Amino acid sequence: MKFFIDTASIVDIQEAASLGLLDGVTTNPTLLSREDGDPREILREITKIVDGPVSAEVVALDAEGMVREGLELRKISDNIVVKIPMTLEGLKAVRALSDQGVPTNCTLIFSPSQALMAAKAGATYASPFVGRLDDISADGMGLIEQICAIYDNYGLATEVLVASVRHPEHVVKAGIIGAHVVTMPLKVINQLAKHPLTDIGLKQFLADWEKTKNR
Ligand code: E4P
C-alpha cells in the first residue's frame, strides 16, 4: 500500500519524507490556501522534496479550461499529477489528459458509480473521500470495498486513492480491503506508529537497564 501525505505544508512533507516511507503527496486548493506564498512555488518546492506523484488541482469548471490548467501545472515538474473534480466536464478533461499521457487524479468521489466513471475515463487515481462520508453518517470504508470490488471485476487499472482520512483505523481497513493508496495528514502518519504498550514497554526496559549501571 502506498502512503501519500495530504498537505501543502513543506514542514510536514519534510518530516514525513524523513521517515523514508512517503510515496507521494496530495494537495487541494484549501490546503494550498493555508500556506504562505505563491501556490505554484509551493508545488515546485514539494516536487523537489518528494520523488513521487504530487497531485495539484485545477480550478476551472469546463473541460477545456481544466486541460489548459492541467498542462500548465505539468510544466512545474514531471511528477505533477493533475487533480480534476468528479464532474461531467471533469471526466472529459480526464479523458483528454489521459489520452496525452498525463497522469490524473479524479477527486471528490463519493459513490461507486462516480469511481467507475473515473476509471472508464482513464484516471490514474480515483479519490473517494471516506472521512467526509463518515461525517454525514454514511459508510466511507464501505465505499472503498465497493470500488475495489468493481475495479477488480473488470481489471481496471485506476488506483483507489483513499482520501479524507481521519484516523489510523481508516488506513488499516484500507489495507485489509486492498486499496492501492492512502493519503493522510502527518498527524495520522505519526499515529500509525503509536501504541501505548510500546511506550510503557520502552519505559520499563530503560528503567530496568538503569538498575544494571551500578554493578
Ligand atoms: C484528497 O486528495 C483531499 O485533499 C483530502 O483528503 C480531503 O480531506 P478532508 O476531508 O480532510 O478535507
Side-chain angles (χ1 to χ4, degrees):
M1 181 202 278
K2 288 177 226 170
F3 278 9
F4 289 3
I5 189 166
D6 191 33
T7 186
S9 160
I10 298 297
V11 174
D12 285 5
I13 292 167
Q14 280 168 335
E15 174 66 26
S18 75
L19 293 172
L21 40 73
L22 187 65
D23 300 300
V25 181
T26 51
T27 68
N28 64 38
T30 302
L31 293 171
L32 281 159
S33 77
R34 289 184 192 147
E35 307 302 316
D36 288 333
D38 174 11
R40 240 186 124 78
E41 284 314 310
I42 296 171
L43 287 166
R44 195 184 312 281
E45 209 173 329
I46 294 172
T47 59
K48 284 185 191 147
I49 301 168
V50 180
D51 183 24
V54 175
S55 286
E57 192 160 339
V58 300
V59 290
L61 294 177
D62 62 302
E64 206 179 305
M66 289 177 187
V67 170
R68 202 178 318 116
E69 260 185 61
L71 294 175
E72 275 306 309
L73 287 166
R74 283 279 294 173
K75 288 182 188 163
I76 296 173
S77 168
D78 278 351
N79 56 336
I80 289 281
V81 171
V82 181
K83 206 172 181 188
I84 309 248
M86 174 60 223
T87 59
L88 291 174
E89 286 299 299
L91 288 171
K92 292 180 203 169
V94 168
R95 168 52 62 207
L97 288 167
S98 112
D99 283 349
Q100 294 179 52
V102 174
T104 55
N105 173 356
C106 191
T107 190
L108 288 167
I109 288 181
F110 293 94
S111 75
S113 60
Q114 289 180 318
L116 179 56
M117 294 290 266
K120 284 190 70 67
T124 315
Y125 304 97
S127 289
F129 280 32
V130 294
R132 292 193 195 186
L133 281 169
D134 291 353
D135 290 346
I136 59 161
S137 300
D139 181 6
M141 294 315 297
L143 173 62
I144 302 303
E145 270 173 348
Q146 291 175 312
I147 296 171
C148 286
I150 293 170
Y151 284 11
D152 280 354
N153 283 346
Y154 298 100
L156 295 170
T158 302
E159 295 193 19
V160 179
L161 195 168
V162 181
S164 187
V165 163
R166 303 268 197 262
H167 47 70
E169 199 53 20
H170 277 147
V171 183
V172 173
K173 283 193 178 146
I176 292 167
I177 295 165
H180 306 85
V181 191
V182 171
T183 190
M184 56 204 141
L186 180 63
K187 184 180 154 215
V188 176
I189 295 177
N190 289 340
Q191 284 173 334
L192 286 171
K194 284 276 179 191
H195 197 286
L197 290 179
T198 304
D199 298 338
I200 292 167
L202 180 58
K203 201 172 160 196
Q204 186 65 55
F205 283 155
L206 294 181
D208 290 343
W209 187 248
E210 276 304 304
K211 294 176 200 162
T212 68
K213 291 284 169 63
N214 299 326
R215 288 179 191 166

